[in-house]
Amino acid sequence: MIFSRDCAACSAVRLGMVGTIDYYRYLNTGITADPLIMHTQLTRTNDTTWRSPTEPGYGTFIGAFGGWTCAAGVLAATELVQAASGDALAPLALTINFIGPVREGVLAVEPVITASTKSTTHVALMAWSETATERRAPSPAASMSMVFAKRRAGDCIDVVAMPEAAAAKSVQRARFSNDTVSWPDQYDQRMVLGTPFKANPGMRTLTWTRNADLGALSFARLAAMADASLPRIFFHYPAVSPISTVTMTVQFHCDATELAAVGNDFVLIEATAQAARHGHFDQHARIFAKTGQLLATSTQLVWFDVKSGMSSAIAIAPTNAATNAA
């Protein structure tokens, strides 16, 4: 996520990145991966690099929506791993550290397999912003690591239950986009708990979410959706704060078959925070299928800029360790 109040300075770069691989190229090569949106492409341009043109539909004030930068990494790493190991391995976890914005032009992703075991493969990636209109060297956008693993049969132990929530069809779609920030329009979001720009206990929200294009859920889309909740600080202060995700980790608790069962249906995202100090806040998300299955969990550390002493309507009650662990 990237938000900023400096609209005048940033409106010229109302841009985004979509990491989408040409599905027909996969049919021709026999490699199976998850397409995102068909009107953009992530193509392999040499032995080490995948590239995708930027796309205005995923814009923020200063560059690309971080979730789609993350999705591009998932897609490139998936193709690399499947070419080396076949379809037996699927994404298990990822961590992405954001360095700079993806501006108009091209996002380049360079994945490298760093280690493999009998059941896992580890991938390191660098993402670069290649600007089409400026004569300058590519700038680093993000570093990323992923673990792929075989899924095997075993006990399913559900410690966390899906929160109760009104049905998605009973809630109107929320609109969070504006002339500069376009990425929220890529999601059909229906907030059943939480009000932006008011103080909310625990900064907690419950939001039914699905892809606005009704595309089926995939590992790449799920990774992007982990970044789709509004910044937690927006649920404490009455005004917009400039924010930028510094680092995000996503764990996948599902396999491809379970994702296919979700299809293009809504999932419920529970988002919370634990603390905001020294110019950074954490953000945690749990993503549930309608069946109650936990599909993925994520945590972020996000930079924000609010003048010291700005009041909120309520104080955030502290929670004990047992509550946090739950």
Side-chain angles (χ1 to χ4, degrees):
M1 297 176 294
I2 304 175
F3 285 83
S4 172
R5 289 179 297 203
D6 190 7
C7 301
C10 299
S11 60
V13 288
R14 177 181 172 269
L15 310 165
M17 194 290 307
V18 187
T20 60
I21 294 179
D22 183 353
Y23 186 56
Y24 298 102
R25 182 166 60 86
Y26 275 95
L27 294 180
N28 293 334
T29 60
I31 298 173
T32 302
D34 299 317
L36 290 176
I37 297 172
M38 295 306 297
H39 66 263
T40 58
Q41 296 180 10
L42 183 72
T43 57
R44 189 169 186 171
T45 55
N46 58 46
D47 289 343
T48 60
T49 307
W50 282 252
R51 286 182 169 86
S52 174
T54 57
E55 171 28 65
Y58 300 95
T60 73
F61 280 107
I62 61 172
F65 169 47
W68 291 103
T69 303
C70 183
V74 173
L75 288 170
T78 297
E79 179 172 355
L80 182 67
V81 170
Q82 290 184 346
S85 306
D87 295 339
L89 303 181
L92 184 67
L94 66 86
T95 294
I96 182 168
N97 304 307
F98 295 98
I99 302 169
V102 177
R103 301 188 183 276
E104 181 179 13
V106 171
L107 180 102
V109 182
E110 300 175 345
V112 177
I113 294 176
T114 58
S116 294
T117 69
K118 290 183 179 180
S119 59
T120 65
T121 293
H122 299 253
V123 180
L125 304 92
M126 277 297 299
W128 302 83
S129 176
E130 299 178 347
T131 306
T133 57
E134 299 179 22
R135 294 183 178 180
R136 64 180 185 183
S139 57
S143 64
M144 187 172 172
S145 63
M146 290 192 67
V147 178
F148 289 74
K150 294 180 180 178
R151 301 299 201 270
R152 59 185 179 83
D155 292 334
C156 294
I157 303 171
D158 295 317
V159 178
V160 177
M162 184 175 78
E164 293 185 3
K169 64 182 180 181
S170 69
V171 184
Q172 290 187 342
R173 180 177 176 180
R175 298 285 185 176
F176 300 119
S177 296
N178 58 34
D179 289 341
T180 302
V181 179
S182 57
W183 70 262
D185 279 343
Q186 308 307 318
Y187 295 100
D188 182 348
Q189 296 185 322
R190 313 212 176 180
M191 190 169 289
V192 297
L193 178 68
T195 304
F197 309 115
K198 293 184 179 180
N200 295 254
M203 304 186 208
R204 180 172 179 261
T205 59
L206 295 174
T207 309
W208 289 108
T209 304
R210 67 179 174 183
N211 295 295
D213 68 350
L214 300 182
L217 202 59
S218 64
F219 284 110
R221 285 181 177 265
L222 190 56
M225 199 172 284
D227 194 33
S229 297
L230 288 183
R232 295 302 88 192
I233 211 71
F234 288 8
F235 296 90
H236 183 71
Y237 290 114
V240 174
S241 162
I243 71 97
S244 183
T245 300
V246 177
T247 183
M248 178 174 73
T249 295
V250 181
Q251 297 94 15
F252 300 102
H253 302 284
C254 56
D255 61 18
T257 300
E258 291 161 339
L259 278 180
V262 176
N264 61 8
D265 205 353
F266 284 98
V267 297
L268 184 68
I269 303 180
E270 178 185 23
T272 61
Q274 296 181 127
R277 295 193 183 98
H278 309 300
H280 295 84
F281 65 87
D282 64 351
Q283 177 158 321
H284 302 263
R286 295 169 176 159
I287 304 177
F288 296 89
K290 277 187 175 180
T291 60
Q293 180 184 356
L294 184 64
L295 300 174
T297 54
S298 73
T299 183
Q300 300 186 35
L301 195 63
V302 186
W303 168 88
F304 73 104
D305 184 15
V306 174
K307 291 182 179 180
S308 180
M310 180 182 286
S311 62
S312 62
I314 62 173
I316 302 301
T319 56
N320 59 37
T323 302
N324 290 339

